[in-house]
Amino acid sequence: MVKRLDSTESAKELIKQLKEQHGELMFYQAGGCCEGTQPQCFHKGGFYVRMNDVCIGSVEDCEFWVDKDLFEYWKYAHFTLDVLDGFGVGGFSLETPLGKTFKIHYRLFSQAELNDLEPITTAK
């Protein structure tokens, strides 16, 4: 099955560092005005997903949740989690004090990939 989510090595390294500092983590990507569509990293359970939000996979055993409306827009795209130097648009994410910000790179799935996608989990 084709994964909906991957990550770069630099993102994996930062996640490991954050897990050492903060314990279990989760990601949430909203479509709102304050954080835009920047992925945010929280303590696991530190952000309450809403009904019908979508978990598209995990990175380093951290669930990656996407706002239900944003998922409808991006459901035909593969997400690659990356990290950049600098301060992101939000500031609530755990990597912010380290001068880092998570970022997503998107690409559209091929027709063959669309026919073999991993299932999603929807929040109840």
Side-chain angles (χ1 to χ4, degrees):
M1 300 209 78
V2 176
K3 293 169 49 171
R4 295 175 178 271
L5 173 69
D6 283 309
S7 63
T8 64
E9 286 304 314
S10 57
K12 289 177 185 175
E13 290 173 18
L14 181 56
I15 292 167
K16 289 176 187 174
Q17 180 182 353
L18 291 171
K19 285 173 86 173
E20 288 173 5
Q21 292 176 336
H22 302 285
E24 290 186 79
L25 306 174
M26 65 178 287
F27 286 89
Y28 188 81
Q29 186 159 341
C33 62
C34 297
E35 289 80 31
T37 56
Q38 175 183 341
Q40 301 284 302
C41 181
F42 299 100
H43 297 95
K44 187 172 184 175
F47 182 89
Y48 296 105
V49 295
R50 300 173 310 154
M51 186 181 299
N52 298 320
D53 283 344
V54 177
C55 182
I56 61 168
S58 63
V59 176
E60 298 296 305
D61 297 319
C62 305
E63 292 177 341
F64 193 102
W65 289 88
V66 177
D67 171 86
K68 64 183 178 178
D69 297 325
L70 185 66
F71 178 75
E72 279 302 309
Y73 186 77
W74 287 106
K75 65 184 172 185
Y76 301 110
H78 179 272
F79 287 43
T80 300
L81 182 65
D82 198 0
V83 65
L84 304 171
D85 290 329
F87 183 76
V89 296
F92 301 111
S93 196
L94 292 175
E95 79 282 1
T96 301
L98 302 176
K100 304 285 183 184
T101 188
F102 285 107
K103 175 182 176 29
I104 291 290
H105 301 284
Y106 302 97
R107 70 167 177 80
L108 293 177
F109 288 117
S110 69
Q111 188 60 51
E113 289 173 317
L114 285 171
N115 294 333
D116 196 30
L117 285 176
E118 282 186 335
I120 58 169
T121 301
T122 304
K124 303 286 184 206

